[in-house]
Amino acid sequence: MASVHESLYFNPMMTNGVVHANVFSIKDWVTPYKIAVLSLLYEMSTTKPMALLDRRRLNKLILPIQQGPDLTLEQFLKIVEECCLRMVNAVKLRLFLMADGELQDMEHFFTMLPNAFSDSEAFKTSVVGLFMRQMLLAYNKLSFSQVYKLYKSLQQYCRRGNQPELSAEDMELTSNEDPSADRIDKDELDTASLHQSELRSDETRGPLSQKQAEYFLARQAYLLKNDENKAMSPAKLQDELNNILKFNPDFAEAHYLSYLNSMRVQDIYISTHSLLHYFDRLILSGGEGKSNGDEGYGRSLRYAVLNLATLHCRFGHYQQADLALQESIRIAQEANDHVCLQHCLSWLYTLEQMKGSDSVVLTEDSVKIAAHFCLPYLASLGIQSLVQQGAKQGMPANKLLDALRGTDIMHWKQSLSELIEISLAQTTSIWRMYGKSTMARQQAQLLLNMNSLEPVNFGVQQNNTEAFAVTLCHLAELHAEQGLYAVVSDIMKHLKQQFPPHTQHAKLWMLCDLKIQFEKAMNDGKYHLADPHVTAISALNSTEGLYRKAQLLKALNQTTKASKILKQLQQRCEKSKNTEMIIRMMLASAELHWDSATGFATAVPLLLQALALSRQHNLQSLTSETLLHLAFTQLMLGIPEQALVLVQDVLESVLAHGSLIDKGRALLLAARCHMALAGAAAQEHRLTAVELAVHTLDEAAVYFSQLDCKERMRDIHYLQARLHHSLGNISQRNKCAMLFRLLDQELPSSGMTVVNRL
């Protein structure tokens, strides 16, 4: 028989180094590790008196150790020891009796192995029985020289504590299948040095059977989808995949896993290369000359082009994605493949959304067709996309939530847990956008505490999806708005553990963390700390970065530069139809008008425009903020009565759903309105108005102190000192004046005083 090394060079099935035969034609072979597993199974069957809990643990261990890669003896015994200490000693004794004895001892073990299971029905039908019969068949087909080399390998395995790296020639075996099947070549055995699991070290790579290889790939692919944090690191996994593809370039599943792994690190070259090779190999292995229909390489071609389109969408290559989608649609129409056409339509409206175009008509058509062909998943995604677009266009919340409630019923009926998560995360985002922070927190807690999700394979709970990342980021921002930075730190720590920096959803918490740190630095008046955050935010989101940069420049009194950036931001937001950012940009521009020579009057039209836009889109939080800006403008224009009316209109909403900084600003503005009215009031009403202003300032000071907002506290103490002076409270006046002086000496002069700042 020719050696496996020789077959690498004289394989008639090879052309230009590419193997066209099935490299995994052999199903299983005998290794020292497999002998250790057989010893465990033999001892379990012959040891009758065993604790029920120990037997249960061992039964749960059988399938993983059969399907997983080969382990060293030390690793194997450690796993067994965790289940049953007594069994470890029995297995170790049997292995060392064979290793320290003679060749006939190993031969005797394989001879008496079937006797322990001969009377058991499980030997004929169970996974354990199938595994043992495969091992016996593989062992019986070995020649004497191969048996001798296997025995020597067993001795090294037991004495050194780790598995020797067997040469392919030593392990030259025959297939367990029909003898006429494809003969074994070097690639069939060198695929054994594939991938290592988390339990193996680099030095213990051994041959893997077909089942072990499939188990490894399926496990890593599933972990990448559901719990990326528990999967192998990108570099380590790619190294294992390269080992697979080095000796088996036609292994299609390995190419696809390489594609998924490359997407984790945003590697456009390797991901495109792997995706194309995956479908090439899939067509070569599964095609039977069919260009149409539901089977054959015609179907593979359709979905190959569709996957290529999604890849370009992911990297923002919209023109290439559009061309790939049109090609996929054409092929699907020729094949009359309605399911593929529906997937294409779903990605078509997604692509239009990415470009910033109106895709409502396409989305509605997609939902109707998906419902017609009974595709609930795609129909639900379309409805959720319509809800998202409706929220941006200002649709009332009741209509949007009714639509989501209808889809939720379908999700629970169909057990679509992934869509349930997306729906709850989207509801959280909608309430947050509308300014209902209490409802947003409630929906976030519903998702995080939902106990009805089924645990998926490999002990993974579906808590590493994008929906959970979005919800946790919302919770972090909501807690930061209330000044609970210790809680924010805990949430961020959890996010960093669940979504490490190399994972695809890590960008969400990175941006969230940077925005929180920026707002905290701005509230503290530490602008030198806020500047680095602006650069980092711009790297993740250019629009958010421009807005934060304008805020920082405005705080530093660089109004000209801030105005230029706001104009640039306005052009970008109008193009992308980002209504929320447009309103924020208008408010920032109005604040620049306050500091300009044109005065407060020029800010009124801009604020009225922002107010109309926020009310049109039902953005309550921005509406309240705009009314506060308008009230401050009226106060500065000498209309305190109208300003107080506006403040009182929004005060309830701000205190119920607003952040601490918004609550403090609203109360501070209300106190200033009372002060202005007290100056023009009659003598009998003046004292009451001043006392009301003092009480309101005390409430505002509570909110600002929780945020440790020293600049605002300085303004509060200044106003309190003046009010106590007018009331004749000398001791309180001196106390507030001293606090003001301490803060004024500590803080740098910003040029923005309580007179011209909201």
Side-chain angles (χ1 to χ4, degrees), residues 655-691:
L655 293 178
H657 300 286
S659 62
L660 287 182
I661 190 71
D662 290 335
K663 294 175 185 178
R665 290 166 63 190
L667 290 171
L668 176 58
L669 181 57
R672 295 185 61 186
C673 291
H674 288 302
M675 291 175 61
L677 290 174
Q683 186 66 30
E684 59 272 13
H685 299 296
R686 183 176 301 173
L687 182 62
T688 303
V690 172
E691 290 177 346

Side-chain angles (χ1 to χ4, degrees), residues 354-374:
M354 291 180 174
K355 291 190 213 178
S357 306
D358 187 8
S359 60
V360 174
V361 177
L362 279 175
T363 311
E364 291 175 348
D365 291 342
S366 174
V367 172
K368 292 176 183 177
I369 299 173
H372 175 72
F373 287 106
C374 298

Side-chain angles (χ1 to χ4, degrees), residues 280-460:
D280 288 344
R281 268 58 182 184
L282 199 65
I283 292 170
L284 289 174
S285 62
E288 298 179 358
K290 298 181 181 180
S291 59
N292 295 311
D294 293 334
E295 299 178 357
Y297 61 77
R299 184 174 184 274
S300 298
L301 278 175
R302 295 193 292 275
Y303 285 97
V305 181
L306 179 59
N307 275 270
L308 188 60
T310 64
L311 176 66
H312 286 303
C313 282
R314 177 84 174 267
F315 288 101
H317 305 157
Y318 300 139
Q319 184 177 2
Q320 293 92 326
D322 188 52
L323 292 173
L325 271 178
Q326 297 300 330
E327 177 67 13
S328 181
I329 291 172
R330 183 188 65 79
I331 301 175
Q333 286 176 338
E334 292 177 357
N336 200 25
D337 188 346
H338 299 289
V339 177
C340 183
L341 282 171
Q342 185 56 34
H343 280 283
C344 292
L345 184 56
S346 298
W347 274 103
L348 197 59
Y349 72 70
T350 303
L351 180 60
E352 293 299 320
Q353 290 178 16
M354 291 180 174
K355 291 190 213 178
S357 306
D358 187 8
S359 60
V360 174
V361 177
L362 279 175
T363 311
E364 291 175 348
D365 291 342
S366 174
V367 172
K368 292 176 183 177
I369 299 173
H372 175 72
F373 287 106
C374 298
L375 301 172
Y377 192 94
L378 293 177
S380 177
L381 284 178
I383 293 174
Q384 290 179 347
S385 179
L386 284 173
V387 169
Q388 184 178 1
Q389 295 178 65
K392 292 181 179 179
Q393 294 173 1
M395 288 184 64
N398 60 333
K399 293 184 178 180
L400 301 178
L401 296 176
D402 284 342
L404 286 177
R405 190 180 302 112
T407 59
D408 286 341
I409 295 174
M410 180 178 63
H411 298 160
W412 288 109
K413 286 182 178 179
Q414 302 285 340
S415 297
L416 301 173
S417 59
E418 183 179 358
L419 293 182
I420 295 172
E421 298 170 8
I422 296 175
S423 179
L424 287 173
Q426 192 170 46
T427 307
T428 303
S429 300
I430 289 174
W431 282 123
R432 181 92 194 283
M433 184 184 70
Y434 284 151
K436 305 290 186 180
S437 59
T438 305
M439 293 301 299
R441 281 194 293 268
Q442 182 192 51
Q443 292 297 313
Q445 292 297 334
L446 277 177
L447 175 58
L448 297 177
N449 293 283
M450 187 165 54
N451 297 322
S452 58
L453 291 180
E454 297 180 359
V456 296
N457 294 338
F458 314 116
V460 177

Side-chain angles (χ1 to χ4, degrees), residues 33 70-77 157 161-163 201 204:
Y33 169 71
D70 289 5
L71 307 176
T72 65
L73 180 60
E74 181 182 358
Q75 292 168 336
F76 174 72
L77 294 177
Y157 183 71
N162 56 26
Q163 185 174 354
S201 62
T204 61

